[in-house]
């Protein structure tokens, strides 16, 4: 009766990794119980999610071929495009959020176009806009740019509006830190940078005022939902953002946060379910409205 925070299934978004092929269900070794799935198996997954009461998924695509400019990210027969068409046909009620970024599609693994060894922010914007528009054309319900290029929300908003998708919202990864907690994801998405790191475009973990400036910029450019990522080491940012801005806040309980807990639970050092619920509740308590988490299904079974 006196509990101040309640967690519900409708707060949770479940990330899924789509790969080419048929009947692929390949476990990600650094993320127990999470899989790279081909489209047919993604549909099975959606069926299970529906039955569990999870209403929303976040899709990451792993293409067969990568190149310098991430062409597979905006190809009509790209993996995300194929997945979107199949999912929206079979499960129109599932809210499909798509990750818009180039790192899964580029041979160098960076989130943007590389010119003489550096990521070229402005040259990247047109490609991200093209990718976002292609997702919308194939049925995406929410576009989630995770690249952290400056100005990408505005570029994507314009491309969506001009393309007839004025009503498709943008969930911007606004305060995305350059974090070691993404390690397992990079195995899952096969997206580790082949040289250097992402510090020229992702944020310094030491900064929090900067996070608020990044969020304010994204809102001004047209973001409808803003995200803080990772979640756990950044709950102070979630709190500051939720106090400062009257807009839905999402927090991403990232791969490393998931794998840490799974590893401890596998060793019998932590009670998985209790710890998981405590973690998710703390993210909500800090001020998040939405939580992207690999624990979505496990939490739904309990909630
Ligand atoms: C792509 C992207 C990353 C994550 C989500 N989108 C990795 C990165 O920026 O290196 C991380 C998600 C996770 O760790 O669960 N830019």
């Amino acid at each position: 009766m006196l509990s101040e925070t309640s967690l519900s299934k409708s707060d949770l978004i479940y990330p899924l990794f789509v790969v080419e092929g048929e009947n692929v269900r390949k476990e990600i070794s650094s993320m127990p119980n999470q899989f790279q799935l081909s489209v047919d198996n993604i549909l099975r997954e959606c069926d299970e999610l529906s039955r569990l009461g999870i209403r929303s998924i976040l899709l990451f695509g792993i293409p067969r071929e990568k190149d310098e400019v991430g062409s597979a990210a905006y190809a009509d027969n790209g993996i995300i495009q194929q997945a979107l068409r199949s999912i929206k046909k079979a499960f129109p009620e599932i809210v499909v959020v798509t990750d818009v970024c180039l790192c899964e599609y580029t041979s160098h693994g960076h989130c943007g176009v590389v010119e003489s060894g550096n990521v070229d922010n402005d040259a990247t914007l047109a490609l991200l806009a093209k990718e976002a528009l292609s997702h919308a054309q194939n049925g995406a319900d929410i576009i989630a740019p995770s690249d952290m290029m400056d100005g990408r929300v505005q570029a994507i908003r314009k491309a969506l509006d001009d393309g007839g998708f004025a009503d498709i919202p943008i969930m911007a990864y606004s305060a995305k830190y350059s974090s070691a907690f993404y390690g397992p994801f990079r195995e899952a998405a096969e997206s580790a940078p082949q040289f250097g790191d992402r510090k020229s475009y992702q944020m310094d973990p030491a900064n929090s005022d900067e996070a608020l400036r990044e969020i304010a910029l994204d809102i001004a450019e047209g973001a409808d939902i803003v995200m803080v990522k990772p979640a756990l080491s950044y709950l102070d940012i979630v709190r500051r953002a939720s106090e400062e801005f009257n807009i839905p806040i999402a927090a991403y309980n990232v791969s490393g946060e998931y794998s840490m807990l799974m590893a401890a639970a596998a060793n019998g050092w932590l009670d998985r379910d209790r710890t998981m619920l405590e973690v998710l509740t703390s993210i909500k308590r800090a001020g998040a409205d939405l939580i992207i988490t690999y624990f979505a299904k496990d939490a739904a079974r309990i909630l």
Side-chain angles (χ1 to χ4, degrees):
M1 192 168 80
L2 296 175
S3 176
E4 295 173 25
T5 307
S6 68
L7 190 64
S8 73
K9 294 180 194 182
S10 61
D11 304 329
L12 308 177
I13 302 176
Y14 187 55
L16 287 171
F17 300 98
V18 202
V19 292
E20 303 268 1
E22 264 173 55
N23 204 20
V24 182
R25 184 175 167 82
K26 185 174 166 224
E27 190 166 25
I28 299 151
S29 62
S30 54
M31 298 177 73
N33 261 332
Q34 305 299 320
F35 300 84
Q36 291 182 337
L37 301 167
S38 49
V39 174
D40 49 347
N41 280 327
I42 289 276
L43 295 179
R44 284 192 192 101
E45 197 70 31
C46 287
D47 188 46
E48 191 188 348
L49 289 166
S50 290
R51 279 187 281 110
L52 283 169
I54 299 289
R55 307 272 304 278
S56 177
I57 58 175
L58 171 60
L59 281 187
F60 293 96
I62 298 129
R64 193 170 275 139
E65 312 274 346
K66 303 184 189 237
D67 64 21
E68 286 281 303
V69 290
S71 312
Y74 35 86
D76 260 344
N77 62 348
I79 184 62
I80 286 290
Q81 288 77 359
Q82 295 175 41
L84 278 167
R85 292 193 291 265
S86 305
I87 297 168
K88 291 311 294 186
K89 197 165 148 208
F91 301 93
E93 72 288 357
I94 291 189
V95 176
V96 185
V97 187
T98 55
D99 182 80
V100 165
C101 193
L102 295 182
C103 66
E104 299 106 285
Y105 305 93
T106 50
S107 41
H108 45 71
H110 275 289
C111 303
V113 182
V114 172
E115 295 289 349
S116 33
N118 290 311
V119 172
D120 185 334
N121 186 97
D122 293 4
T124 305
L125 300 182
L127 301 184
L128 294 169
K130 220 161 124 176
E131 180 180 6
L133 181 60
S134 161
H135 289 183
Q137 285 165 339
N138 285 284
D141 297 298
I142 299 180
I143 298 296
S146 71
D147 53 280
M148 283 298 274
M149 298 301 130
D150 292 333
R152 88 272 201 224
V153 173
Q154 186 172 38
I156 290 171
R157 185 70 271 162
K158 184 169 187 320
L160 292 175
D161 290 358
D162 292 351
F165 296 98
D167 52 357
I168 297 290
I170 297 177
M171 178 194 284
Y173 289 67
S174 302
K176 177 172 177 183
Y177 285 86
S178 177
S179 171
F181 286 101
Y182 308 149
F185 173 95
R186 292 181 185 171
E187 181 201 330
E190 301 173 7
S191 66
Q194 299 303 301
F195 64 89
D197 54 42
R198 302 207 205 288
K199 286 184 183 157
S200 67
Y201 42 105
Q202 297 183 350
M203 284 186 43
D204 178 352
N207 292 359
S208 82
D209 289 344
E210 187 188 7
L212 298 196
R213 291 197 295 274
E214 290 278 9
I215 293 170
L217 280 169
D218 281 0
I219 294 172
E221 289 179 27
D224 301 280
I225 303 166
V226 293
M227 195 196 297
V228 175
K229 176 183 172 190
L232 293 186
S233 288
Y234 301 87
L235 291 180
D236 58 324
I237 313 297
V238 174
R239 164 56 62 188
R240 283 189 75 183
S242 71
E243 280 173 355
E244 188 96 3
F245 303 104
N246 183 19
I247 192 168
I249 313 267
Y252 200 140
N253 179 212
V254 300
S255 57
E257 299 171 339
Y258 171 82
S259 300
M260 250 175 1
L261 203 168
M262 291 297 280
N267 272 296
W269 298 336
L270 285 174
D271 176 325
R272 189 196 67 168
D273 288 355
R274 284 187 56 206
T275 315
M276 167 186 77
L277 289 180
E278 188 173 332
V279 160
L280 296 175
T281 303
S282 74
I283 298 171
K284 196 83 199 287
R285 191 196 62 232
D289 301 289
L290 297 168
I291 305 172
I292 300 163
T293 179
Y294 304 98
F295 285 118
K297 289 201 294 184
D298 300 310
R301 285 191 192 99
I302 301 173
L303 288 172

